[in-house]
Amino acid sequence: VKKAIDIKKPPEEKSPSGREHLGQSGGTLEAIRRIYMLHEIVLRFDFAPGSEQILNVVRQKARLLLSFDLCLVGLLNRGQTHFVLHSLSPSADAAGVHHHHMSVEEAFFGWVIDNQSPVILELRPGPSAGSDVESRIRKAGMRTLLTVPMRAGNDAVGFLAFGSTSEEVFTEEDIGLAQLFALYLATSLRNMTLLDDTRRRMAQIESINAISRRVASKLNLEELLGVAVESIQKDFQYFDITIFLLSEDKSELILEAHSGNFADLIPHRYRQPLDQGIVGCVASSGKRMMVNDVSKEPRFHSTGSHATKSELVLPIKIDSEVVGVLNVEDTKLYAFDETDAVVLETVCEQIGSAMKNAKLYDEIRRVNVKLTEMDKVKSEFLGIVSHDFRTPIANIMLSGKYVLKNEDIQKNPRVRDQLRLIVDQAQRLSKLADDTLSISRIESGQMEYSFKIVNIERLIQDAISQIQHSPRHKLEYKVDFNATYIKGDQIKLRQVIQNLVNNAVKYSPRGGTVAVSAQDVTEETILVSVKDEGLGIPPEQKDKLFQKFSRVNEGEASKMTGSGLGLWICKEVVVAHGGKIWFESEVGKGTTFKFTLKKSH
Ligand code: ADP
C-alpha cells in the first residue's frame, strides 16, 4: 500500500492557498483570527453532551480554520485494530465512507498514527492501487490529503484528514493548526469516551442486578429463560438475543428463548447440530466467541435470511458444565467489545445459577408429587384396614367383658387376669384403629365436621367420665362462669379432651392431680387446659410432638407404649375449629396442654 502512495514532506515554501494577497501584517492578523476561532470551537466541544455532538461541531465549524473540500475523522476501536470513519463534510458523505470500518493495516492511516507525524498525500488521478477508502477519496475528486494523528496523552485516538481538490494547497501554518485542532479534538473525544464508558458501566451493573433479580425469582425453566432474553434485550438494546440449550443426548442445541428482531424468522425449538455454527462451537468448547465481522468467520452459520454482521456467543454453565449458550447478534459490524462480553458473561453466570435452582425445584416438586401420591395410597390403605379392624376388635372386647362378668371366671383369678389382659389389649387396638381411621380421613380430606353449639362444661364432664385411671390420680375440672358455649363438633372435641386427659394420666406414672379447665380469655375465645403433675416434656422435643408418629424417646416416657398419633389428631381437630394448640412443660414437674376454641354468641 505504501509503495502506491506518494508521501511528501510539507512544502518548505509558504503558499497559503487563496491568501497570498495578504501582506505580512495581514498574515499575522489571519493567524490570530484562526487561533481565536480554534479557541471558540474548542469551547464548543466542552458543551457538547456526547461524541456525536463533538464531531458535529467539527462538521459545522472546521471551515473557519482551514479551507478544504473534504473532512474525515477515523476513530480507533477499543482493541486498536480498526478505525471507524466519520464523514464530516458533504463530499465525504458522497464518497460513502461514513461508518466505514477499516483495519489499521489498510492504507496509510495506521502509519500516520504509528509515526505521530502529519502526512500530505498527493493523490494522482487514475486507477488506485491503494485501499478502498483511499480510492473513494480519489474518486471524490481529491488531489491532496492532509492527515494528522489524534492523540490524547499517550493514547492514540485516531486521525483527522482534510482533502482538497487542488494540489499543494496546505501550508505549514495549516498543518500546525490542524495538529493543534486534532489534539483538542482527541482530548475531548477521549474524555467523552471515558465518561460514556463510566456511565455505560454503571448502567450495565444496574442491569445485571435487575436481570439477576428478575431471573432468580423464576422457578419455571421456560419462564426463566424468556425473562432472561427479554431483560437483556430491554436493558442492553442488542439487536437479537437467543438462548439455546443442549439436548439430552448433547448432540444438538435447541432454541428455547428468543427476543429481538429476528424472532419471527426462526421457529421455537429450532434444532441446530452441535458441530454447526458459532453457537455449536461455543457449546462444545465452553469458551465464549466474539465475532465482529461474520463474513470473515468460516464457522458462522446463518439460520435464515437475516443480515447478521456481528455475533457474540457465551456459554451458560451449571457447576462448570455447559448446558447451553446465550447468542447475541447484530446487523452492524464491530457491534461488540470486551465490556459487552464481560457483562454478558456475568449475566450468563446468573442465568446458570437460576437454572440450577429451577432444576432443583423441579426435582423437589416431582419427588413431592410422588410422595403425596404414595401418602394418599397409604392413607387409603390404612383407612380400609383400620375400618375392617374395628368390628372384630369391638366383638372381642364385648365378648371379653361379657365373659368377665361370669361368676365362675371371677372365682378363678388366673383366667380372670388373662381375660382382663385380652380386654385391655383389645381396647388399645380399638383406640389405634380409631386413630388410624381419623388420620386417613384427615389426610384424604374426608374428615367431616358437624358444627353445633356445644356446652363446654358438659363436654368436659362427658370426656372425663369415660376415662379409666388409678386411685393414685385425682381428676378434677373447673369451668369459668362466662365460658359456656362454643361452636364445634362435639364428638371430635370430646376426642381431643380425652386424648389429652389420657396422656396426662398415662405420662404421670406416680399419680397426682389432672386438672381440666375452661377459661374465658377474650370476647371471642375460650381457653381449655389440661394440667398434670407428671414426667414433663424435655424442651428440645417441643417443636416435633404435634407431628405424626412423634414421641419422646428418652427417659421413662420411652418405656410407655403409644403410637404418637394422638397429639397430631388433636392439632388437626383444633385447627379445623379455627383454634391453636400448644403446651407448657417442665421436666419432672408436669405439663399443661392448652387449646383455644371460638365462643358461640
Ligand atoms: P402417644 O401417647 O400414643 O405416644 P401422642 O401423640 O398422644 O402419642 O403423644 C406424643 C408424645 O408426647 C408421647 O409419646 C409423649 O412422649 C408426649 N406426651 C404427650 N402428652 C404428654 C404429657 N401429658 N406429659 C408428658 N409427655 C406427654
Side-chain angles (χ1 to χ4, degrees), residues 490-516:
Q490 174 141 13
I491 296 171
K492 305 215 169 58
L493 287 176
R494 189 178 62 208
Q495 196 186 349
V496 170
I497 298 173
Q498 277 179 342
N499 274 355
L500 296 178
V501 176
N502 267 328
N503 277 352
V505 169
K506 180 169 153 188
Y507 296 104
S508 306
R510 282 175 290 280
T513 304
V514 174
V516 185

Side-chain angles (χ1 to χ4, degrees), residues 169-233:
V169 54
F170 295 111
T171 65
E172 233 176 281
E173 193 189 305
D174 288 337
I175 297 167
L177 206 67
Q179 274 181 289
L180 204 55
F181 187 45
L183 177 74
Y184 282 123
L185 180 59
T187 313
S188 300
L189 285 174
R190 206 259 321 248
N191 290 348
M192 198 49 81
T193 313
L194 290 178
L195 192 69
D196 279 352
D197 269 3
T198 318
R199 281 195 200 129
R200 212 171 130 213
R201 231 158 264 191
M202 276 168 65
Q204 280 170 335
I205 289 168
E206 266 173 38
S207 299
I208 293 176
N209 286 338
I211 293 173
S212 46
R213 266 200 308 276
R214 270 175 251 154
V215 168
S217 66
K218 299 287 168 226
L219 287 172
N220 170 299
L221 191 64
E222 201 179 320
E223 217 183 317
L224 183 162
L225 299 178
V227 165
V229 286
E230 272 160 30
S231 306
I232 296 169
Q233 211 215 354

Side-chain angles (χ1 to χ4, degrees), residues 503 506-507 532 537 545 550-552 562-564 566-567 591 593:
N503 277 352
K506 180 169 153 188
Y507 296 104
D532 66 51
I537 298 169
L545 282 191
S550 164
R551 312 196 64 231
V552 173
S563 61
L567 288 182
T591 309
F593 275 86

